[in-house]
Amino acid sequence: MKIVSNCPLCEEHALHVIEKDSIGTQQCINCGYATTSNFIGTREDNETFKTLPEEMQSWSKEANGNIWIPSMITLPFGTLYPTNVEEVVGDGIRNVMKWGFAEMVDIPEEEQKNYPDERGGYFKQRYDTDNQKIYDIFLEAMVEMNEKARQNSIPESKIKLPKLKRVDG
Ligand SMILES: [Zn+2]
């Protein structure tokens, strides 16, 4: 069971609350921010938050007594993730968080030696982050991902509510 409610961050009626989820996932499919019961509290006192990579910490927001972080979605054909993009603002350049989408590509056989896996072999595929597509809005990236899922014959419903991934620093 899931409930759709208003998101405390973007205020859209797009916040999915998963009831039968032991970690209490809440995820907004409009702005892409998500939280779980591991992220109750503030940035100062939450221990899980302190284990996140610095970049992820910088993107986090506080609302409704929780810390919210941008979602990452990893699927066999592609990955959707938050990423900093340099933007000209006034007289200066600053980093702005956008959404990147990278497709899974085959690694040419002669290049596989550059991509060792952890089992003594080599990866044959990788996410093509060099050719990532950048989106301003999470929902736009999700639409693209759903389209790719259709092309790859993965039911759309399977990717509508991706799990909030722990990111290891
Ligand atoms: Zn939202």
Side-chain angles (χ1 to χ4, degrees):
M1 261 315 279
K2 70 187 183 202
I3 297 168
V4 182
S5 159
N6 287 346
C7 174
L9 299 171
C10 68
E11 294 175 351
E12 286 293 323
H13 190 71
L15 182 70
H16 290 239
V17 181
I18 305 163
E19 276 194 320
K20 281 188 181 153
D21 178 338
S22 58
I23 58 163
T25 304
Q26 299 180 60
Q27 182 177 42
C28 178
I29 61 159
N30 182 62
C31 68
Y33 273 78
T35 190
T36 71
S37 57
N38 294 329
F39 290 97
I40 292 170
T42 64
R43 286 182 273 228
E44 284 72 43
D45 62 28
N46 184 284
E47 291 304 318
T48 309
F49 175 74
K50 289 171 188 164
T51 67
L52 294 175
E54 211 173 288
E55 206 169 43
M56 196 57 98
Q57 292 192 13
S58 74
W59 293 326
S60 68
K61 296 177 182 183
E62 290 178 2
N64 278 7
N66 275 54
I67 304 158
W68 298 71
I69 59 170
S71 311
M72 291 182 76
I73 304 169
T74 306
L75 291 168
F77 57 87
T79 179
L80 175 58
Y81 48 90
T83 186
N84 272 334
V85 174
E86 285 186 346
E87 231 174 44
V88 180
V89 179
D91 295 335
I93 291 172
R94 67 176 178 124
N95 282 323
V96 179
M97 197 203 84
K98 304 265 186 184
W99 298 96
F101 176 70
E103 281 191 63
M104 180 68 91
V105 293
D106 293 329
I107 303 170
E109 218 171 316
E110 63 275 16
E111 288 176 26
Q112 286 175 13
K113 61 182 189 303
N114 301 323
Y115 300 93
D117 63 22
E118 278 159 13
R119 294 165 310 206
Y122 298 95
F123 288 108
K124 292 182 171 59
Q125 290 186 308
R126 67 181 179 87
Y127 291 119
D128 190 12
T129 49
D130 299 337
N131 294 304
Q132 66 184 358
K133 274 195 187 170
I134 297 294
Y135 296 87
D136 288 342
I137 298 167
F138 179 81
L139 192 59
E140 289 174 357
M142 276 297 286
V143 168
E144 170 88 22
M145 210 161 190
N146 282 336
E147 185 51 42
K148 286 272 163 5
R150 257 192 299 275
Q151 289 165 13
N152 287 273
S153 307
I154 294 171
E156 193 175 327
S157 60
K158 256 193 164 173
I159 64 166
K160 263 191 177 151
L161 279 169
K163 283 244 162 67
L164 177 58
K165 283 232 165 186
R166 258 294 290 281
V167 181
D168 298 314

